[in-house]
Amino acid sequence: MKIYSPSYKRANGVKTHKLIPDIIYCVAEFEADEYKKKGYNIEIMPNPIQGNIARVRNYMLDNYIKDKGLIIDDDIEGLYFWDMEEGTPKAKKIKDIKEFIEHGFNLCEEFGSRLWGINIIGDKGSYREYSPFSLSNPISAAFMGFLNNELRFDERIPLKEDYDYSIQNCNTYRKVLRLNFAFMIKKDHGNLGGCAESRTIKFEMEQLDLLQKKWGRSIVKKDKTQRGKRTKGFDINPIIKIPIKGI
């Protein structure tokens, strides 16, 4: 089982290898030499693949992952889990990350899922200690484990590809395993390169509209709350309500 990370114009900004030294960065031909000079393990993709992260992920699934593998972001700074101490969850760093990943794949197989990931939110207030796992919640493409998964990302929705892929898996395989007790620390803002070059509010809104049109308003809901208060504001991340019973 190998661990891959798509990386674009970040030879000087990648961080995940500090956690996982043998991670393989998947980069375009035109910048492969920059990554090689840094001593990183790399796989080289054709230049035309870049420009659409959903297309990049599909290329990685077809050429690198195949039956089993993990795709994670290139700027992850730490992986943590919630541990109960005196009735209160405390965040602790995952020391043996490879062992944790192997356990994740074992659980994925035992649950009968084809896709697994970790909690999107690392906020203590959002963690429910009586629900360490869930099977009908979306997971982030920043950390996705694939197990004999025949589904592919929708290349029309590159900014919402993980929401769409999670829904696809629930629709086809009836579940997505999310380890709610684990989460990651990463900085989505301020790190140049990657998807940051294509993200604009206008494009985000268009992508959200397309996602909602594909799956319907009862599943993809626009979040009109900010910081828990009703306002006239708008969150570019949708609320996903998958109509499958269970946790």
Side-chain angles (χ1 to χ4, degrees):
M1 189 273 299
K2 293 185 178 180
I3 304 171
Y4 297 91
S5 178
S7 191
Y8 181 60
K9 295 184 179 180
R10 279 184 179 169
N12 295 316
V14 293
K15 301 176 181 178
T16 308
H17 61 279
K18 296 177 182 178
L19 291 176
I20 308 171
D22 58 350
I23 192 169
I24 301 171
Y25 291 118
C26 300
V27 303
E29 292 175 282
F30 78 91
E31 57 178 344
D33 287 343
E34 293 183 52
Y35 285 81
K36 285 180 180 178
K37 289 177 183 177
K38 298 289 184 179
Y40 302 139
N41 299 318
I42 66 169
E43 285 282 0
I44 301 175
M45 300 181 293
N47 288 332
I49 298 298
Q50 286 291 5
N52 181 317
I53 188 59
R55 182 170 63 235
V56 169
R57 296 189 194 285
N58 286 338
Y59 183 89
M60 293 170 66
L61 285 173
D62 291 337
N63 293 276
Y64 309 140
I65 298 296
K66 298 181 180 178
D67 297 327
K68 178 183 178 182
L70 187 74
I71 296 179
I72 61 179
D73 276 5
D74 64 359
D75 56 352
I76 296 177
E77 298 179 0
L79 289 172
Y80 297 81
F81 71 100
W82 293 112
D83 189 27
M84 297 301 294
E85 291 185 358
E86 298 179 355
T88 303
K90 301 289 185 181
K92 292 186 178 180
K93 200 165 189 175
I94 296 174
K95 295 180 179 179
D96 193 332
I97 294 175
K98 291 298 243 350
E99 183 181 38
F100 167 75
I101 292 170
E102 287 292 351
H103 283 320
F105 276 105
N106 289 338
L107 285 169
C108 186
E109 184 174 10
E110 290 172 5
F111 271 97
S113 182
R114 305 288 186 94
L115 179 71
W116 74 277
I118 58 180
N119 208 330
I120 297 174
I121 302 172
D123 185 344
K124 183 173 66 175
S126 71
Y127 177 62
R128 296 177 298 174
E129 57 270 18
Y130 51 85
S131 301
F133 309 106
S134 64
L135 296 173
S136 59
N137 285 316
I139 61 174
S140 171
F143 192 108
M144 278 187 171
F146 305 84
L147 187 63
N148 301 317
N149 200 314
E150 297 179 354
L151 299 177
R152 292 297 179 263
F153 291 89
D154 190 335
E155 296 179 14
R156 300 173 302 161
I157 319 176
L159 295 189
K160 305 296 177 190
E161 87 282 11
D162 44 6
Y163 290 106
D164 174 76
Y165 196 69
S166 295
I167 300 171
Q168 277 194 65
N169 272 266
C170 283
N171 184 46
T172 302
Y173 301 128
R174 312 311 294 168
K175 64 189 69 173
V176 169
L177 173 61
R178 191 172 82 181
L179 309 185
N180 292 326
F181 63 86
F183 64 95
M184 77 189 85
I185 297 293
K186 64 189 294 290
K187 293 180 180 179
D188 290 319
H189 305 288
N191 198 1
L192 300 178
C195 291
E197 297 199 352
S198 62
R199 289 188 186 278
T200 64
I201 293 297
K202 182 175 182 295
F203 192 25
E204 289 274 10
M205 296 282 285
E206 291 172 353
Q207 292 278 282
L208 181 51
D209 287 339
L210 182 56
L211 182 69
Q212 190 176 65
K213 183 177 180 180
K214 179 177 179 178
W215 295 106
R217 294 176 182 272
S218 62
I219 293 177
V220 179
K221 301 176 182 292
K222 294 182 178 180
D223 187 358
K224 296 182 180 180
T225 65
Q226 289 186 348
R227 298 179 182 176
K229 297 180 180 179
R230 291 283 174 181
T231 70
K232 294 182 179 180
F234 186 82
D235 192 336
I236 59 175
N237 294 313
I239 297 172
I240 304 298
K241 298 289 186 181
I242 296 174
I244 295 178
K245 292 183 178 180
I247 191 168

